[in-house]
Amino acid sequence: MTSPGLTTAEASAYQRAHGYNEILDPKPSLLRRIMKRAISPISGMLLVAAILSFLGGKAFDGSFILALLALNVGITVWQEHKADSAIEKLNEHLASSVKALRDGAWTDLNARLLVPHDIVRLSAGDIIPADAVVAEANNASANEAAVTGESLPKEKRDGDTLLSGSYLASGLATVEITAIGSNTSFGKTLAKIDPHPRKSALEKDILRISRFLSGLSIVAVLALTAALALGRTPWLDVLRLDLSLVIAGIPISLPTVMTLIIAFGVVALAKKEVIVRRLSSLEELANADLLLTDKTGTLTKNLIAVSDVRAYDGFSADDVRRLGALVAARDPDTTINQALLAGPHAAANGAVRTYIPGDSSRKRSTLTLEDGGRIRTLSLGAPQAVAALCGLPADIRARFDTDVADYAARGYRTLALAAADGEAESGMALAGLFALSDELRDDAASVIRFLGDNGIDVVMVTGDNRAIAAEIADKLGIPGTRVVPRDELAAAGWDSVAASTFRDTRAFAEILPEDKYELVTRARRFYTVASNGDGVNDLPAVKAASVGFAVSNAVDVLKAAADIVLLTDGIGVMKDAFIEGRKIFERLYSYSLYRISESFRLIVTIVILGLATGAYPLSPLQLILIALLNDIPIISLAFDRVKVANRPSKIQVKRQFSQSLLYGAVGVANSLLLYFFATDYLHLPLPVVETLFFLKLTVSGHLLIYVAHTKERWWRYLPSREVIFATSATQAVATGLALTGFLMPAAIPWQLALLIWVWSFFFMQIGELVKFPHRMVMRSRK
């Protein structure tokens, strides 16, 4: 017998004593964030640089470096806090709710608020929210693969244990919670898992190039240390200068900036009602070129209505509707059953003896009840499954087949109903057929056309028969020449499925869940595949896809497993997800071009001048100022506007690396020419040259953002207002420092500052000019 459950007061008392149902670590506090950034590599280097300045008698420099350290930590912590807070707020949309018995009544409750001894009601597709014991089971089975590794569902009876992290594969169950949070089997497993997310190929590529630049910087430091030591430069100054070069040259902040770009991209996606659960899936989203899409609820409105009823001998249409409502009333939450319950027979009821809900193997629901003083068994489900329970005469069978084919040709989904006296589900009488319709979404056809124009092929995967699939594909204008039914795939064998199969097919019909999984795995050999779904049966295919979508009405277990969860109905929001994913990809790519070229330019220039002259052309404080002034526009790139290509974005390592080094080479030539022009032609003193160099590196470096962020001419596609404001502000600060001499070796007159701006703008155009020949060369090598 089911327990009466807990009262709200009892549950609250437990929560006060033990805390909420927390499996994952709580969000780090502000103090923990500050401490994390304060002991990061770049912060450590700045701290050492400050100490060396104090030891060298340069107290002002040391104090200012400490102030810059505090500013850098503050900006980074604030940006991370904003991003994390936004994402945390979005995750509230994914909070799982359960039917729990509280205060003697069933209520929707956030699963995180469950406590031991709570009574919960589960149905097929529900995640088991905590460890529990079954109180009442009705044809229940649980899939515990995520916990035990067993792939097949296990039948669950009264008294059996259910494990947190598994899900109910079929049937209904009422359970009593026994353990929550870290005390569950799933919670104990999670505690041992590495919390760091999987990196995408783009992240790995950029970090690999970053390691190359780090190695180059270290080699440069060693070479210059040897050269300066031979020149009898004091060791304390050498160490301070070396450390400054490492801070300025190595892109230490790269992982943080990439995380911010992705995080703010995720927030932008959320504004379009898309929640990203796996950040590395954004790269696959940008690369996706094939969508294997469900029909129901995605291309259609998933608002089922009974369009027609056909009764058979001994039954009237009203009889069929009333008996169908009796079966549907046992599980009134499904869309099909809601359609059967609509109308005057919605309140029909009887004394239920047994009820077996439908599933993908039985393809029917079975109800035994007392109806009008007699015991009657009713079966409702797929026409062929129900017809197999009836001994149909030839003439009735012929009429049945004709009616089913007629409904299918008209695009209806058909349910059959059979009835029998007694409790046996055999020798039943065919009562009638229900014709169910599901309207197409208003935007489905335009979205499919849009995806095709943007390099994403769309193929519908449906369990409906070939005629229905063909009619819907025609209405939606899905490209392709044929509709492929399951029996054709089975006859040819899965090994025959090639890239042309997906290219030529507009729909796969009569598909079973395991077939959809096979289709996804085969497609991944030739495409970057996106797939969506809403039910438990879609889980294998969604997990196997490069990008797995859970639609808005998906069961909890699918939302937990999917890479991306859609919060609105239909396919329209999926279009936004693809495009926003490409935007994030482009921002990461343009950032990598800028950051790699800047590091290369700075390292190579200082090495050449250091070896040629025996001294650095910049002071340590100037190098640190350049590094920190770069952080401001770099962070603003997370908000940059980008032009999205109408084809999937692919990583082109050679192009990325060569273009970055080409921009860097232009910067090296720019810097060397300025240095020798200032010293050999203008005969300026070294302190003035150092100030000129500082201003040129800042102004010219930030102008490079305008060139690198777009494949077009820079003036035809300017960055976002945030980027323009950030670069203008940092350039203005650098110009002000140079004119006043504050923190600089010497002040410069406005004429020299104007010269630097004109010089930098001229070389900006040189960088712009090399962009297009480089693109032509890379295309010719494909």
Side-chain angles (χ1 to χ4, degrees):
M1 183 176 178
T2 304
S3 163
L6 299 176
T7 65
T8 300
E10 291 171 334
S12 299
Y14 183 92
Q15 291 164 0
R16 286 193 298 271
H18 302 280
Y20 288 133
N21 181 1
E22 298 278 3
I23 291 180
L24 301 177
D25 289 336
K27 187 180 73 171
S29 65
L30 181 61
L31 179 60
R32 287 179 61 187
R33 288 182 183 275
I34 294 174
M35 291 300 296
K36 179 182 177 182
R37 288 298 154 205
I39 59 176
S40 67
I42 190 169
S43 298
M45 292 183 195
L46 287 171
L47 184 60
V48 173
I51 293 172
L52 292 176
S53 296
F54 284 119
L55 293 176
K58 299 183 178 181
F60 178 81
D61 286 5
S63 300
F64 194 79
I65 291 173
L66 289 177
L68 291 177
L69 170 60
L71 179 64
N72 183 62
V73 170
I75 291 175
T76 304
V77 169
W78 172 244
Q79 293 292 344
E80 287 184 344
H81 172 71
K82 285 203 304 181
D84 286 352
S85 296
I87 292 174
E88 183 184 16
K89 191 172 183 179
L90 297 174
N91 283 333
E92 294 176 3
H93 289 287
L94 297 180
S96 176
S97 63
V98 295
K99 284 284 187 183
L101 187 61
R102 286 281 178 90
D103 298 319
W106 293 102
T107 183
D108 289 324
L109 185 70
N110 189 318
R112 295 168 68 96
L113 302 180
L114 290 173
V115 299
H117 305 300
D118 259 326
I119 304 300
V120 174
R121 181 183 290 165
L122 303 171
S123 57
D126 288 343
I127 289 181
I128 312 303
D131 285 356
V133 62
V134 178
E136 294 180 6
N138 187 350
N139 191 35
S141 66
N143 188 311
E144 299 177 343
V147 180
T148 66
E150 297 181 35
S151 57
L152 296 176
K154 295 175 63 176
E155 182 183 1
K156 294 295 179 179
R157 299 177 179 176
D158 295 0
D160 287 348
T161 298
L162 289 173
L163 300 177
S164 173
S166 59
Y167 66 89
L168 207 64
S170 65
L172 305 169
T174 302
V175 304
E176 181 178 346
I177 302 300
T178 57
I180 63 173
S182 58
N183 294 322
T184 66
S185 56
F186 193 52
K188 293 173 182 176
T189 301
L190 281 180
K192 302 175 182 178
I193 295 178
D194 184 0
H196 300 293
R198 182 177 68 188
K199 290 184 173 63
S200 69
L202 177 63
E203 291 176 281
K204 292 178 182 177
D205 170 55
I206 294 176
L207 292 173
R208 182 167 57 249
I209 297 174
S210 177
R211 286 194 292 270
F212 164 77
L213 292 174
S214 299
L216 180 63
S217 182
I218 292 172
V219 170
V221 165
L222 294 176
L224 286 173
T225 298
L228 293 175
L230 292 175
R232 296 183 180 180
T233 303
W235 274 104
L236 193 60
D237 289 344
V238 171
L239 289 175
R240 195 156 49 94
L241 292 169
D242 285 346
L243 188 62
S244 302
L245 177 58
V246 170
I247 293 172
I250 297 179
I252 299 171
S253 60
L254 186 145
T256 299
V257 175
M258 288 185 65
T259 300
L260 287 175
I261 290 176
I262 293 174
F264 285 117
V266 168
V267 173
L269 274 172
K271 292 178 180 178
K272 300 179 181 294
E273 305 294 329
V274 178
I275 293 183
V276 179
R277 294 184 61 87
R278 180 171 67 89
L279 294 185
S280 60
S281 68
L282 291 173
E283 182 191 333
E284 285 90 348
L285 187 63
N287 297 339
D289 49 9
L290 175 66
L291 171 62
L292 296 178
T293 179
D294 267 2
K295 173 184 71 72
T296 305
T298 303
L299 303 177
T300 63
K301 295 181 179 179
N302 199 22
L303 295 175
I304 307 297
V306 177
S307 298
D308 189 32
V309 173
R310 291 183 184 176
Y312 285 75
D313 293 346
F315 296 89
S316 67
D318 282 346
D319 291 335
V320 175
R321 289 181 181 274
R322 185 181 70 83
L323 296 176
L326 286 173
V327 181
R330 299 307 100 209
D331 189 9
D333 295 330
T334 67
T335 54
I336 290 178
N337 287 347
Q338 287 171 358
L340 297 179
L341 288 169
H345 303 293
N349 207 343
V352 176
R353 289 200 167 194
T354 62
Y355 173 67
I356 303 176
D359 56 42
S360 59
S361 59
R362 298 184 74 250
K363 296 185 179 297
R364 68 187 187 279
S365 300
T366 304
L367 172 68
T368 300
L369 78 167
E370 293 182 16
D371 178 35
R374 59 176 174 166
I375 297 176
R376 173 174 274 184
T377 297
L378 306 173
S379 292
L380 176 71
Q384 301 305 326
V386 173
L389 305 174
C390 308
L392 297 178
D395 58 333
I396 300 297
R397 181 73 198 201
R399 179 189 165 196
F400 171 83
D401 291 339
T402 300
D403 288 343
V404 171
D406 177 53
Y407 280 154
R410 293 161 60 187
Y412 292 136
R413 180 173 181 177
T414 307
L415 287 181
L417 175 70
D421 290 334
E423 300 186 14
E425 195 181 17
S426 61
M428 306 184 80
L430 181 65
L433 294 175
F434 294 94
L436 306 175
S437 63
D438 186 3
E439 295 182 41
L440 296 178
R441 291 193 175 276
D442 298 333
D443 63 346
S446 62
V447 172
I448 288 173
R449 186 166 55 251
F450 176 89
L451 294 177
D453 292 342
N454 283 272
I456 302 171
D457 295 331
V458 179
V459 180
M460 182 173 67
V461 181
T462 177
D464 291 331
N465 64 42
R466 186 174 191 169
I468 294 177
E471 181 168 342
I472 291 176
D474 284 338
K475 290 180 179 178
L476 293 175
I478 298 178
T481 58
R482 59 193 187 126
V483 174
V484 179
R486 181 184 186 277
D487 56 2
E488 185 177 320
L489 287 173
W494 288 109
D495 290 337
S496 67
V497 177
S500 59
T501 305
F502 298 96
R503 186 170 56 251
D504 299 336
T505 300
R506 54 204 319 216
F508 293 101
E510 302 165 19
I511 295 299
L512 299 176
E514 56 267 27
D515 301 325
K516 185 175 180 181
Y517 170 78
E518 287 289 349
L519 286 171
V520 169
T521 55
R522 292 286 166 173
R524 285 196 65 177
R525 297 183 177 184
F526 319 108
Y527 297 92
T528 302
V529 183
S531 182
N532 59 22
D534 61 355
V536 175
N537 294 333
D538 295 313
L539 181 60
V542 168
K543 285 182 68 66
S546 306
V547 184
F549 287 91
V551 298
S552 60
N553 61 338
V555 295
D556 290 341
V557 66
L558 192 67
K559 289 182 178 179
D563 301 314
I564 296 174
V565 179
L566 309 178
L567 299 182
T568 59
D569 298 330
I571 198 174
V573 69
M574 199 177 297
K575 173 193 71 174
D576 295 329
F578 283 117
I579 299 307
E580 198 66 39
R582 291 184 187 180
K583 287 182 180 180
I584 295 170
F585 183 95
E586 289 296 332
R587 290 190 183 104
L588 288 171
Y589 186 82
S590 61
Y591 164 66
S592 70
L593 290 180
Y594 166 72
R595 194 63 188 91
I596 293 166
S597 61
E598 277 295 279
S599 295
F600 180 81
R601 176 188 66 157
L602 192 61
I603 294 169
V604 174
T605 299
I606 292 179
V607 168
I608 293 175
L609 290 180
L611 294 176
T613 64
Y616 279 98
L618 290 171
S619 69
L621 185 57
Q622 286 176 310
L623 283 170
I624 293 172
L625 277 172
I626 289 173
L628 295 178
L629 284 175
N630 280 342
D631 279 348
I632 297 174
I634 281 175
I635 290 175
S636 73
L637 289 176
F639 310 96
D640 192 19
R641 74 187 189 108
V642 291
K643 183 166 287 188
V644 179
N646 62 355
R647 286 293 178 269
S649 305
K650 301 289 184 182
I651 295 177
Q652 301 178 39
V653 177
K654 290 183 179 179
R655 175 183 173 183
Q656 177 190 37
F657 190 71
S658 59
Q659 189 172 357
S660 297
L661 296 187
L662 190 59
Y663 286 148
V666 172
V668 171
N670 174 0
S671 300
L672 294 179
L673 286 173
L674 176 66
Y675 182 84
F676 291 112
F677 176 77
T679 55
D680 296 347
Y681 183 77
L682 297 180
H683 303 292
L684 297 175
L686 184 59
V688 174
V689 173
E690 289 180 351
T691 302
L692 284 178
F693 226 72
F694 166 81
L695 181 59
K696 198 282 303 181
L697 288 174
T698 303
V699 173
S700 183
H702 294 180
L703 287 177
L704 177 61
I705 292 177
Y706 289 71
V707 175
H709 97 114
T710 178
K711 296 180 178 65
E712 299 184 23
R713 298 295 185 186
W714 68 264
W715 61 85
R716 292 179 180 171
Y717 196 79
L718 295 173
S720 66
R721 287 177 296 178
E722 291 87 351
V723 175
I724 293 175
F725 176 80
T727 53
S728 300
T730 51
Q731 289 169 328
V733 169
T735 303
L737 294 177
L739 290 173
T740 61
F742 181 65
L743 304 177
M744 298 290 112
I748 62 172
W750 67 267
Q751 293 90 342
L752 283 180
L754 179 61
L755 171 65
I756 293 302
W757 272 90
V758 173
W759 183 285
S760 298
F761 187 79
F762 172 78
F763 274 94
M764 176 189 180
Q765 311 318 307
I766 301 297
E768 176 69 25
L769 289 176
V770 303
K771 180 164 59 177
F772 294 93
H774 172 266
R775 185 186 304 172
M776 294 174 62
V777 170
M778 296 306 297
R779 285 177 178 172
S780 66
R781 293 182 178 180
K782 285 185 178 180

